[in-house]
Amino acid sequence: MIYSVTLNPAIDRIIHVHDALTRGKNNHVSESYNDIGGKGTHVSVVLSCLDTPNIATGFIGENGKEELYSLLMERKVNPEFFVLPNRAVRQNYVIMDETHSGSFMITQTGPSITPDELGQFTTDFTGKLEPDDIVVFAGNPSRLMSPNDYGSLLKKVKETGVRLIVDASGDYLKKAIEISPTLIKPNQYEFGELTQKKITSIEDTIEVMEKSNLSKIDYIIVSLGKKGSLLFHNGSIDHVIPPKVKTVNDTGCGDAFVGGIVYALYKNFSVEDMLTFATSVSASKAMQPTSSGFVPEEARLLREQVTLEKIK
Ligand code: TA6
C-alpha cells in the first residue's frame, strides 16, 4: 500500500482578483473556490488520478474535517486521519491576479498536537505498515511540533522497513536526513539551507551535492523551478527540463511532481522514466486552476516535450 502522510493538512481558499493585487487598493474578487491543501494530500490526489490505491493519513482538526474529507473523496482519495477534537483544520489562502506571475500563498499555523496524540498516532500508523509499503511524508508539520518529535516519528516509520519519501524543509528536513530516507526532494533554496551553501545554478547544486555527506540517501531530487530538476542516484546525475506550459495556478506543482515520483517508484520505472513522468504530471498540474490534481492524457502528451540530459 502507499500512504501519504500530511501532518498539517489544509483547505485552500483560492481567490482570483481583477488586475494586479495592490496594497492600499480595494482588490475585487473575480472568482473563488476551494480545494484540498497540504502536500501529502496532493500526492494522494495524483495517485488516485492514476487509479492507484492509496491512503491519506496524518492529523486533522475536528472542525472542518467533513469539508476536507468530502473534497478528498470527490477525488477518489481514501482519508484515514487521526482526528484532533475541538481543534480546526487550517485554512490557507491562494491568491492569483491577472498579472499571471505566480500565486500569493498565505498559510495558517494549524492545530496543536499533544504528546499523547502523537504517541497514539505513531503506534496506530506503524502498526499498520508492511515492509513493501511506500510512505510519503509531504509538507512540514505545524510549527507547534518540534523537529525532534518529527524526527522520532520518521525514525519509527523507517524502522518498519518501508520505502520512506520525505518532502520537508528547514529543521524538519535536517531531522529527516538523519534517518536516511529513501528519497528527499528539496527545492534549490531548501537544498542550500540544508547544506549551508548559496546555490544559484545547476553547477552549484552538483558541486555542493558531490561535497555533501548525503550519499546514504538513495534518491535526492533537487527541484529548480522552470530550470527543471536534478536527480542524484547511485553516483549518476540526471537533469530533466519541463515543457513550456501556460501556468494557470502554480500552487501544488512540487507536490504533483512528488506524486509522479511515488507512482514511478511503485511501478518500478527506470530513473529516466521516473523523472520525465513526474515532470509531465507537474506540468499538467500547472495548467489546472486548482491546487491539486492533473489530467493524465494531458501529461502523456506533455511528456513528449520533456527533455532529459544525462550529466554523469
Ligand atoms: O504546495 C502547495 C500547498 O500544499 C498548498 O495547497 C497550501 O496549502 C500550502 O502549500 C501548504 O504549505 P505548508 O508548507 O504550509 O504545508
Side-chain angles (χ1 to χ4, degrees):
M1 175 50 74
I2 305 175
Y3 294 88
S4 73
V5 183
T6 313
L7 297 172
N8 197 10
I11 296 167
D12 282 358
R13 308 292 183 199
I14 300 169
I15 300 165
H16 294 254
V17 298
H18 290 294
D19 311 325
L21 185 65
T22 312
R23 285 188 182 80
K25 169 183 159 260
N26 182 342
N27 295 278
H28 294 288
V29 171
S30 57
E31 190 189 2
S32 66
Y33 42 90
N34 305 320
D35 194 19
I36 298 157
K39 299 185 183 333
T41 46
H42 290 176
V43 169
S44 273
V45 171
V46 164
L47 294 169
S48 293
C49 284
L50 295 161
D51 300 322
T52 302
N54 70 89
I55 292 172
T57 189
F59 293 98
I60 192 166
E62 182 180 30
N63 312 330
K65 171 182 166 257
E66 295 317 320
E67 181 181 0
L68 185 52
Y69 266 38
S70 68
L71 287 167
L72 286 163
M73 291 190 277
E74 264 169 38
R75 301 293 192 83
K76 299 198 305 265
V77 171
N78 174 8
E80 289 185 14
F81 284 78
F82 187 104
V83 180
L84 304 169
N86 311 317
R87 275 152 281 172
V89 176
R90 66 177 170 147
Q91 304 191 33
N92 293 341
Y93 297 86
V94 178
I95 302 167
M96 279 162 290
D97 62 16
E98 291 173 355
T99 63
H100 301 298
S101 47
S103 57
F104 296 86
M105 175 98 69
I106 301 163
T107 62
Q108 291 182 337
T109 301
S112 60
I113 299 162
T114 67
D116 286 359
E117 287 163 340
L118 178 57
Q120 193 56 56
F121 172 78
T122 307
T123 309
D124 297 352
F125 184 48
T126 52
K128 291 181 200 163
L129 297 175
E130 307 288 340
D132 59 359
D133 290 338
I134 296 179
V135 175
V136 193
F137 275 73
N140 284 355
S142 151
R143 284 192 297 279
L144 304 172
M145 181 190 287
S146 73
N148 283 345
D149 284 345
Y150 176 74
S152 51
L153 168 58
L154 288 183
K155 189 165 178 296
K156 293 208 176 75
V157 169
K158 178 85 187 312
E159 285 162 359
T160 65
V162 299
R163 280 180 285 175
L164 178 61
I165 291 150
V166 177
D167 181 11
S169 61
D171 291 341
Y172 299 104
L173 177 58
K174 285 199 182 97
K175 274 292 164 194
I177 61 165
E178 287 175 10
I179 53 129
S180 303
T182 312
L183 184 147
I184 60 170
K185 189 215 64 83
N187 61 31
Q188 199 168 346
Y189 166 76
E190 291 159 352
F191 188 61
E193 207 185 21
L194 179 67
T195 54
Q196 306 286 316
K197 295 274 189 292
K198 188 151 178 32
I199 295 183
T200 57
S201 68
I202 290 172
E203 293 68 29
D204 287 355
T205 311
I206 294 170
E207 194 193 327
V208 169
M209 180 61 208
E210 296 199 322
K211 288 197 187 113
S212 77
N213 60 357
L214 297 170
S215 54
K216 282 210 213 92
I217 301 175
D218 290 354
Y219 302 87
I220 296 179
I221 303 178
V222 180
S223 53
L224 312 155
K226 289 199 171 27
K227 287 186 279 177
S229 300
L230 281 170
L231 167 66
F232 301 89
H233 173 62
N234 277 355
S236 72
I237 307 175
D238 293 274
H239 177 214
V240 65
I241 301 142
K244 290 198 173 17
V245 296
K246 187 168 177 329
T247 297
V248 176
N249 180 355
D250 57 0
T251 305
C253 291
D255 313 329
F257 180 88
V258 174
I261 292 288
V262 172
Y263 178 80
L265 276 174
Y266 177 68
K267 293 285 186 183
N268 300 315
F269 283 15
S270 68
V271 289
E272 294 76 12
D273 286 347
M274 177 164 83
L275 275 179
T276 55
F277 180 76
T279 302
S280 65
V281 169
S282 179
S284 168
K285 160 62 234 3
M287 300 167 72
Q288 314 309 317
T290 51
S291 297
S292 65
F294 79 109
V295 180
E297 181 49 24
E298 194 176 63
R300 190 183 64 72
L301 297 170
L302 286 168
R303 195 171 177 193
E304 292 154 17
Q305 302 163 46
V306 174
T307 315
L308 187 72
E309 186 195 356
K310 172 72 76 192
I311 292 180
K312 190 175 162 189

